[in-house]
Amino acid sequence: YTFGDVLFFLDEDGNAYHSCVYLADNLVFTKNGENEMMPWIVTRLDDVKQLYGREPNYKIQVFRRKWPEGG
C-alpha cells in the first residue's frame, strides 16, 4: 500500500462494509464504530483488520488515485 490508497473491506459477495485511507508504515486514517459521533483516528492497519476482518472470506480491495499525465 502507498500513501492515499483507499482500502475497502469486502465481504464474500464483494460488498464493502468498511473503508480507511492508508497513510504510511502500517498506519491508516479511519472512523471505527457504528456511531457517527465516533472520531476519525490514526491507527494501525493490523488493528483495523482485527476489528473488521472477522467476516468469512473477507478481502481488502485497494483503490489508488490515478494522477494526470505529468502530475
Side-chain angles (χ1 to χ4, degrees):
Y1 305 127
T2 189
F3 176 77
D5 284 354
V6 179
L7 312 179
F8 283 93
F9 286 70
L10 307 177
D11 64 19
E12 60 188 341
D13 295 324
N15 299 308
Y17 59 91
H18 187 71
S19 63
C20 55
V21 179
Y22 188 81
L23 299 175
D25 294 330
N26 196 39
L27 295 175
V28 295
F29 188 56
T30 186
K31 183 176 174 85
N32 297 335
E34 296 178 13
N35 183 335
E36 58 196 41
M37 298 302 291
M38 295 296 290
W40 287 88
I41 60 170
V42 175
T43 190
R44 296 175 356 162
L45 178 56
D46 293 338
D47 294 338
V48 176
K49 285 179 181 179
Q50 281 189 343
L51 274 173
Y52 294 99
R54 296 182 180 172
E55 286 281 325
N57 303 319
Y58 88 97
K59 71 175 187 174
I60 297 176
Q61 175 109 25
V62 179
F63 289 87
R64 183 170 293 157
R65 180 175 177 163
K66 192 172 188 178
W67 294 97
E69 190 74 26

